[in-house]
Amino acid sequence: MNFDLPPLGTDTPPAFTDAAGCRAWLAALPAATPIPALAQLTEQLRRLNRVPLAPGERLSLLDDLNAAADPLRQALIPRFAGKPLPLGTAEEAALAALLDLQQALLDGCLRCVESCGGGQSPPLATAIQRALAVLLERQRRLAQARRQPPAAHWRMLHRLLALAEQRQLADAEVPVPGHRRPTTVLATYGAALLIQAAGPHELAPRQLSWMLRWAQRWGGKLRLLTAPPARIEARPLCVALEGEQPATALPGKGDDTRYLDTAELRKSLKQRLARLEQGATPAELQLGDDCPQPACGQLLAQLYPRWCKGGLPRLPDPDGGPCRVVSGLAAIHYHLSGRETPRQEPARTMEQLRREREEIATFGRVKTTATTAARHAPPPEFEIEDDWRLLQAGTGDLHLLRPAATPGARIGSGALCAVARPGTPGLALARVRWLLETGDGLHLSLRLLPAPGTPLTLRTAPGEPWRPAIALPATAEQPASLLLPVGGFRLGETVELAESRGCAATRPCRLGRLLGRGEDHAWAVCE
């Protein structure tokens, strides 16, 4: 099988071609600087991929290099995982370094697959599984960056499974370095399908880490079939092995259609959900020590229909009408209050502070008073973005798209937004449910807040600066609440509220339970 790899050659030989040389070279790798270290590792992999080696020797070297790269990967993942979109320059550089490494590892594994030739030899099963594992690792990093795998990703996954099926190696056990239990080609392939079916872009970072772990563990519960199961206890995942799309709930019409039976996965999920309801802990059910209840059970209940009942609907086509969006509590407050910002007490100079200290020492009090007349701070640049398009409008939900290459603000998961829709007066408040970056642009799913907001100013104590806040009236679903700036929430604390610019007429508000939290705000009951 030909994978269109770079031709073999020794014009630029690698620094090593055996295990001893590899260990010596890795010992000098600058682990304190992850991106340059990964760049060196990637370059050596590219050179190694062009050197003729026996499949077993190459796989052993690839395993060693992959293991050496793991701490570097772990150091770079927090730089882009869960960050607001679009990613910044440094965040893009960290993600690109990991993706370049994964491509070099994939080329090495594919070189092994090509070298193994025909037959059902164990090196071929190992080479196919390692290539799938690299693709799975790349998919995990893209999920953490809230990006979709490209069509080439699925095309290669399906092609490798088709080869394993043809050589009767899909269920062959393959040892994995660092793991006590072996895995199979099908288990690694199934994990990639489960990750995509889970809708990773809709999960919070903590939920995403659990799901990625569970998918890798439960990929082995899928069974590969050439026809629909005779007894359908759960809807199978359907793939076209000659296509370039992830699994769907609808079967294809060609001979390349395969069905991954999810009956065993359904049974495992149902048993765990029942045990959790009976009081068992997630750790007892081998779901992880970091999964508390009820969050663990809620995520399992969310994954169950996506993995066993048909998965997620596809994203809508970008053909909606125009929308205007502004994000961030401060920017929304600025527009709701008529393009005004909270007035502040003027800052005291070092000379004023020195004079006050002298007066306290002499008279026991401050005799002079600083000017307390309110001053207008220059308004910040809180521009409303006009380039968003409305794709879907459901009951309380909106799906928007900012087309690719359109400049705009960075938006994080859970952020506060305000939307002006065609034919709808004013700005509607909403919180970000999920984000996803695709070739079309930045997709944004919003959950509308139940009532219009009133801009207020807030301070925690006299003399403290006034900060923006937005009051939401009581509805049938929830009590009166307050949108606060970051760091403004402390349960049971009483804060002082005033009209938008802060005036003499103020009122107290006691902060009750927290309704939600984002990168730019907290949402709490106002008692």
Side-chain angles (χ1 to χ4, degrees):
M1 180 171 284
N2 185 8
F3 292 100
D4 297 325
L5 299 174
L8 295 173
T10 57
D11 296 337
T12 54
F16 53 85
T17 56
D18 55 25
C22 178
R23 287 192 295 269
W25 184 85
L26 288 174
L29 198 64
T33 53
I35 290 183
L38 276 182
Q40 294 183 36
L41 190 56
T42 302
E43 178 60 26
Q44 291 302 317
L45 273 166
R46 288 170 177 162
R47 296 183 181 188
L48 188 66
N49 291 339
R50 302 190 62 182
V51 174
L53 288 174
E57 295 178 11
R58 189 184 301 277
L59 282 173
S60 178
L61 287 174
L62 291 175
D63 286 341
D64 291 343
L65 293 171
N66 192 30
D70 191 61
L72 302 175
R73 273 195 294 262
Q74 299 306 317
L76 289 183
I77 289 170
R79 299 189 185 183
F80 61 83
K83 299 296 183 181
L85 298 181
L87 296 178
T89 303
E91 297 157 351
E92 282 282 4
L95 177 61
L98 290 184
L99 296 181
D100 288 344
L101 173 70
Q102 297 308 118
Q103 185 60 53
L105 285 169
L106 177 62
D107 289 346
C109 294
L110 295 180
R111 182 75 74 189
C112 293
V113 174
E114 284 186 348
S115 302
C116 286
Q120 303 178 16
S121 59
L124 179 58
T126 303
I128 294 175
Q129 189 277 329
R130 295 293 193 272
L132 290 172
V134 172
L135 290 169
L136 178 62
E137 174 69 15
R138 181 167 67 182
Q139 186 176 341
R140 289 160 58 93
R141 303 309 158 219
L142 290 173
Q144 290 172 320
R146 298 193 189 95
R147 291 187 179 176
Q148 292 273 46
H153 173 86
W154 301 111
R155 188 163 54 245
M156 183 58 68
L157 273 169
H158 301 331
R159 189 177 179 187
L160 289 169
L161 181 69
L163 176 61
E165 182 190 40
Q166 177 187 352
R167 304 292 171 81
Q168 300 179 10
L169 297 173
D171 293 313
E173 290 191 346
V174 175
V176 179
H179 293 262
R180 292 182 299 175
R181 296 181 180 180
T183 187
T184 65
V185 169
L186 181 58
T188 310
Y189 176 84
L193 299 188
L194 291 180
I195 289 173
Q196 186 67 15
H201 55 278
E202 295 192 14
L203 303 179
R206 185 175 66 161
Q207 293 177 317
L208 179 60
S209 66
W210 301 344
M211 184 276 291
L212 293 175
R213 185 173 66 222
W214 297 343
Q216 192 155 5
R217 174 183 176 183
W218 290 332
K221 292 188 175 295
L222 304 179
R223 290 193 306 120
L224 183 64
L225 305 174
T226 57
R231 181 181 177 185
I232 300 181
E233 299 178 359
R235 182 170 293 183
L237 298 174
C238 306
V239 294
L241 294 185
E242 296 180 5
E244 53 185 25
Q245 297 296 324
T248 67
L250 300 176
K253 298 180 180 179
D255 294 337
D256 64 329
T257 300
R258 297 294 183 270
Y259 303 84
L260 287 102
D261 188 9
T262 60
E264 286 298 317
L265 175 61
R266 171 186 176 274
K267 180 180 178 181
S268 182
L269 290 175
K270 295 287 282 185
Q271 288 177 344
R272 282 174 167 80
L273 285 169
R275 291 286 308 279
L276 288 173
E277 291 180 358
Q278 295 169 3
T281 66
E284 292 173 347
L285 302 178
Q286 299 180 350
L287 296 172
D289 296 334
D290 59 337
C291 304
Q293 276 285 73
C296 179
Q298 292 169 352
L299 180 58
L300 277 180
Q302 180 178 338
L303 294 176
Y304 172 71
R306 301 184 180 195
W307 283 349
C308 305
K309 296 293 184 181
L312 284 173
R314 69 184 295 270
L315 293 174
D317 295 325
D319 58 357
C323 271
R324 307 178 71 209
V325 175
V326 60
S327 61
L329 175 62
I332 296 170
H333 181 276
Y334 176 70
H335 289 282
L336 290 179
S337 59
R339 304 179 72 86
E340 295 182 349
T341 57
R343 66 174 61 185
Q344 306 293 347
E345 298 292 341
R348 291 177 292 176
T349 65
M350 293 299 295
E351 176 62 24
Q352 289 172 326
L353 292 172
R354 183 191 63 79
R355 186 164 54 250
E356 289 176 2
R357 286 196 297 267
E358 291 177 352
E359 292 174 351
I360 290 174
T362 304
F363 304 105
R365 62 184 177 86
V366 176
K367 292 184 65 179
T368 58
T369 58
T371 302
T372 57
R375 299 177 182 177
H376 292 267
E381 294 298 325
F382 294 140
E383 297 296 332
I384 295 183
E385 299 179 16
D386 299 319
D387 298 320
W388 289 86
R389 300 169 70 179
L390 177 64
L391 302 187
Q392 284 185 336
T395 305
D397 290 329
L398 299 176
H399 186 167
L400 309 180
L401 171 70
R402 185 168 68 195
T406 301
R410 298 182 67 195
I411 302 176
S413 179
L416 188 67
C417 290
V419 184
R421 289 178 284 170
T424 303
L427 292 171
L429 296 179
R431 300 180 74 239
V432 175
R433 291 181 57 237
W434 53 260
L435 303 109
L436 177 64
E437 198 168 13
T438 68
D440 297 331
L442 180 60
H443 289 261
L444 184 65
S445 177
L446 299 175
R447 174 66 50 82
L448 293 173
L449 295 181
T454 302
L456 300 174
T457 52
L458 168 149
R459 65 182 180 183
T460 56
E464 293 291 326
W466 291 99
R467 305 175 69 187
I470 299 175
L472 299 176
T475 65
E477 293 81 16
Q478 67 185 30
S481 56
L482 196 64
L483 295 166
L484 310 159
V486 171
F489 173 77
R490 291 180 179 84
L491 182 63
E493 183 179 44
T494 298
V495 298
E496 188 178 1
L497 299 178
E499 295 301 325
S500 179
R501 278 197 170 274
C503 60
T506 64
R507 60 183 176 88
C509 170
R510 184 178 181 273
L511 300 179
R513 61 187 174 90
L514 192 66
L515 299 175
R517 190 191 296 273
E519 293 183 349
D520 60 344
H521 72 284
W523 183 19
V525 171
C526 184
E527 299 175 346

